[in-house]
Amino acid sequence: MTDAELALFHDSLTRCVQHAGFLERFYALFVAASDEVRHKFSQTDVRKQQRLLQASFHILMLEADGKPEGSVHLERIAALHSHAHLDIPPRLYDLWLDCLVHAVRESDPQWTPETERLWRRMMANGIAIMKARYHAEAEPHKPQTSGIAAPREMP
């Protein structure tokens, strides 16, 4: 993504987040879209989930800008959502994106078809990683190693 596209996405995200009820509307649409989603979110702290989603938008921006910290966080999120952990199947991500774009359309007063294209493009790589890591066996919060070997115990 170009710097100009990142800036346009960020501006749209800012407008959406400033719109009262943007994240609430997204989750209402998403949960209503599928019995499976409704079941997955039945025990979820929705307020916490909204904060995490908002943070993940910024992680996706970092990743799209080629920042390694974005990729590291995205890999952790993907591991957490994998089959071995939260078990969010790949088929739900397309539904997730459609509900998100619907909420953006309702919340961004400057929405245009270009805005939709930017949101879909920004989310595409993250969604591809989430889908690809679904069957991965990685731990969701595995600590990063420094590359320095631990000292060996003396006999």
Side-chain angles (χ1 to χ4, degrees):
M1 239 184 197
T2 67
D3 287 344
E5 289 171 320
L6 281 170
L8 289 172
F9 174 82
H10 183 264
D11 291 348
S12 176
L13 174 60
T14 299
R15 289 188 299 270
C16 287
V17 171
Q18 290 174 346
H19 183 273
F22 165 61
L23 294 173
E24 292 88 350
R25 178 64 175 147
F26 160 69
Y27 278 108
L29 290 165
F30 190 43
V31 168
S34 158
D35 287 339
E36 183 177 14
V37 173
R38 189 172 14 268
H39 174 72
K40 294 270 184 203
F41 280 86
S42 65
Q43 302 298 315
T44 301
D45 177 344
V46 178
R47 286 283 194 217
K48 181 179 177 182
Q49 190 64 33
Q50 290 170 359
R51 288 189 305 271
L52 292 169
L53 178 59
Q54 188 169 342
S56 71
F57 292 142
H58 295 283
I59 289 167
L60 286 167
M61 288 178 58
L62 288 171
E63 198 275 334
D65 199 25
K67 305 290 187 213
E69 56 270 27
S71 297
V72 168
H73 288 295
L74 189 54
E75 288 291 339
R76 286 183 181 159
I77 292 168
L80 181 64
H81 287 75
S82 72
H83 179 68
H85 298 283
L86 292 176
D87 190 21
I88 308 301
R91 68 181 170 276
L92 294 181
Y93 291 101
D94 296 327
L95 179 61
W96 180 91
L97 181 57
D98 288 341
C99 293
L100 178 63
V101 168
H102 186 132
V104 170
R105 186 180 306 121
E106 291 180 359
S107 301
D108 184 348
Q110 297 180 34
W111 183 90
T112 66
E114 175 67 8
T115 307
E116 178 174 344
R117 187 189 71 73
L118 282 171
W119 275 83
R120 288 186 181 278
R121 187 165 172 217
M122 179 62 73
M123 300 299 120
N125 190 48
I127 288 173
I129 290 169
M130 303 293 274
K131 288 178 175 182
R133 303 301 186 271
Y134 178 68
H135 290 291
E137 297 298 324
E139 292 295 320
H141 299 290
K142 185 176 182 181
Q144 297 293 314
T145 60
S146 65
I148 300 171
R152 292 175 35 199
E153 285 188 40
M154 300 292 286

